[in-house]
Amino acid sequence: GLDKLSAGDLGFRVEDSFAPEYDKLRVDFNAAMSSLEDAMLVVNQAALKLKQVPMRRLIDAFAAATR
């Protein structure tokens, strides 16, 4: 699964069960991947919105925030 993650596949989930004493690792990995995928969708949506804002407005907002 980590090779899929490093290749950018955020949709990968471990489906095969592990031995009972290790299955929490699988469950936690899948939950972490879901959270990461959700976070990246939010970042992507925000980036798409930023692309629609004129550059001058972004510069002014940044300048105001850093004063």
Side-chain angles (χ1 to χ4, degrees):
L2 294 179
D3 59 331
K4 301 271 189 186
L5 177 59
S6 68
D9 182 359
L10 300 181
F12 177 78
R13 302 296 182 272
V14 177
E15 300 296 332
D16 297 335
S17 293
F18 291 176
E21 63 269 21
Y22 297 110
D23 201 52
K24 185 174 180 339
L25 179 63
R26 178 187 66 83
V27 171
D28 290 349
F29 175 85
N30 288 343
M33 290 297 292
S34 291
S35 294
L36 179 59
E37 186 175 29
D38 291 345
M40 293 308 295
L41 287 172
V42 170
V43 169
N44 188 46
Q45 290 170 349
L48 290 173
K49 286 180 185 177
L50 281 176
K51 283 178 77 172
Q52 298 171 357
V53 176
M55 184 57 73
R56 183 77 238 159
R57 202 163 119 204
L58 289 173
I59 292 169
D60 292 344
F62 180 74
T66 57
R67 287 187 195 136

